[in-house]
Amino acid sequence: MKLQDKNTIVTGGASGFGAGIVARFLEEGANVTIVDFDETAALAYMESLKSDRVHFEYADLADGKSVAELFDRLQTRWSRLDVLVNNAGTTHLPALLEDVSEKDFDKVFAVNAKSVYYTSKFAVPWMKQQAAGAIVNIASTAALSPRPHLTWYNASKGWMVTATKSMAIELASERIRVNAICPVAGETPLLASFMGSDTPETREKFLSSIPLGRFSTPKDIAATALYLASDEAAMITGVALEVDGGRCI
Ligand SMILES: NC(=O)c1ccc[n+]([C@@H]2O[C@H](COP(=O)([O-])OP(=O)(O)OC[C@H]3O[C@@H](n4cnc5c(N)ncnc54)[C@H](O)[C@@H]3O)[C@@H](O)[C@H]2O)c1
């Protein structure tokens, strides 16, 4: 029960890594708000969780007004916020860097980078009031050891790592910890978009660069998010922790 009675937000909690984090946080006693723009998926997932400590809030995290309204509703519901997981993310399809459309570039940066600016505008003042809080940002090994043809996605995750370190140093005196997780390619619906096509050949190509010989899973990422969000990591801030089976060695 490492998060007993903690109020936690998991963005993109309807699918993939986020869904894994939601389930693990619930097992550890947390109250969890899933924030997602896929209401159908979120409600179906919540139904399967059979918990009265999870609830869903719609928000488009790439839209500042939508995020402001989200925090208005949350502040009516909760008197404090203990943990924020900025997990929602997206990618462009693999392409030569000069061929990625401006629309796709803007989408990637709006969801992967600007959403963190938006959630920080509300979550950080809230955590400052209570002089406590933990923020976990889901970055990627793409930030540390980029693959070709995903350049703008990789760069958005590099942004996430620098934002994490800068947030951590600025917020340390407020007793707010900020850390990032850098997962290697993982078994989620987003994987096919990274690979371009989900075939045995593309899977083999990705797997061949992971020394432990498998993709990451939502359970791997959830275990790491739990640790970084919990008091067990009380002395840890500003790290970008690879969960990558050795990919970045
Ligand atoms: N799967 C991988 O291989 C991998 C590897 C490294 C890092 N990551 C990162 O992990 C995070 C989670 O990815 P995933 O693989 O679980 O993806 P996913 O597609 O399974 O889940 C992403 C969730 O985010 C939600 N979302 C996307 N844009 C949103 C928006 N604008 N507003 C609200 N919700 C939005 C989606 O509806 C979905 O529920 C992302 O930040 C991704 O970049 C993924």
Side-chain angles (χ1 to χ4, degrees):
M1 288 296 174
K2 294 190 178 112
L3 294 178
Q4 183 76 55
D5 298 327
K6 300 280 188 195
N7 292 339
T8 68
I9 298 173
V10 181
T11 72
S15 172
F17 291 157
I21 295 167
V22 168
R24 190 66 208 270
F25 278 17
L26 286 171
E27 278 170 23
E28 299 288 338
N31 304 311
V32 184
T33 296
I34 295 175
V35 177
D36 210 291
F37 67 0
D38 188 341
E39 184 161 3
T40 309
L43 293 179
Y45 182 51
M46 268 191 12
E47 182 73 26
S48 74
L49 289 167
K50 308 218 178 311
S51 168
D52 57 5
R53 281 180 291 106
V54 61
H55 91 279
F56 166 70
E57 292 284 355
Y58 171 90
D60 178 353
L61 293 149
D63 174 354
K65 186 164 171 282
S66 183
V67 176
E69 289 167 0
L70 161 74
F71 276 88
D72 272 352
R73 294 195 300 277
L74 281 172
Q75 285 178 331
T76 320
R77 186 179 186 99
W78 281 342
S79 60
R80 56 182 289 126
L81 173 64
D82 299 293
V83 176
L84 166 66
V85 182
N86 286 308
N87 162 78
T90 190
T91 185
H92 56 83
L93 294 175
L96 296 176
L97 60 92
E98 65 272 34
D99 288 344
V100 174
S101 69
E102 188 172 351
K103 188 165 169 254
D104 279 356
F105 177 95
D106 286 345
K107 182 189 77 171
V108 166
F109 272 80
V111 181
N112 295 5
K114 201 165 183 188
S115 68
V116 179
Y117 162 78
Y118 287 140
T119 57
S120 297
K121 279 180 90 70
F122 303 96
V124 167
W126 199 354
M127 289 176 171
K128 278 183 178 175
Q129 274 173 25
Q130 63 204 28
I135 299 175
V136 179
N137 293 328
I138 308 301
S140 172
T141 52
L144 312 173
S145 181
R147 295 173 190 272
H149 304 148
L150 287 169
T151 289
W152 309 120
Y153 172 80
N154 300 337
S156 74
K157 293 300 183 178
W159 182 98
M160 182 73 122
V161 170
T162 304
T164 298
K165 290 177 187 286
S166 195
M167 290 167 75
I169 195 69
E170 184 169 328
L171 298 176
S173 59
E174 309 280 349
R175 302 286 171 263
I176 300 169
R177 297 184 299 105
V178 188
N179 291 293
I181 299 175
C182 295
V184 76
E187 293 278 13
T188 76
L190 202 55
L191 182 61
S193 303
F194 292 128
M195 295 192 299
S197 58
D198 192 349
T199 64
E201 291 73 32
T202 52
R203 280 188 168 245
E204 185 44 43
K205 195 173 126 209
F206 271 64
L207 278 175
S208 66
S209 67
I210 307 173
L212 285 183
R214 67 168 176 84
F215 291 113
S216 68
T217 64
K219 281 196 171 163
D220 295 323
I221 307 312
T224 313
L226 169 64
Y227 171 63
L228 291 174
S230 75
D231 290 344
E232 295 204 337
M235 193 55 181
I236 298 181
T237 198
V239 304
L241 182 58
E242 295 103 317
V243 180
D244 71 344
R247 153 104 166 86
C248 291
I249 296 168

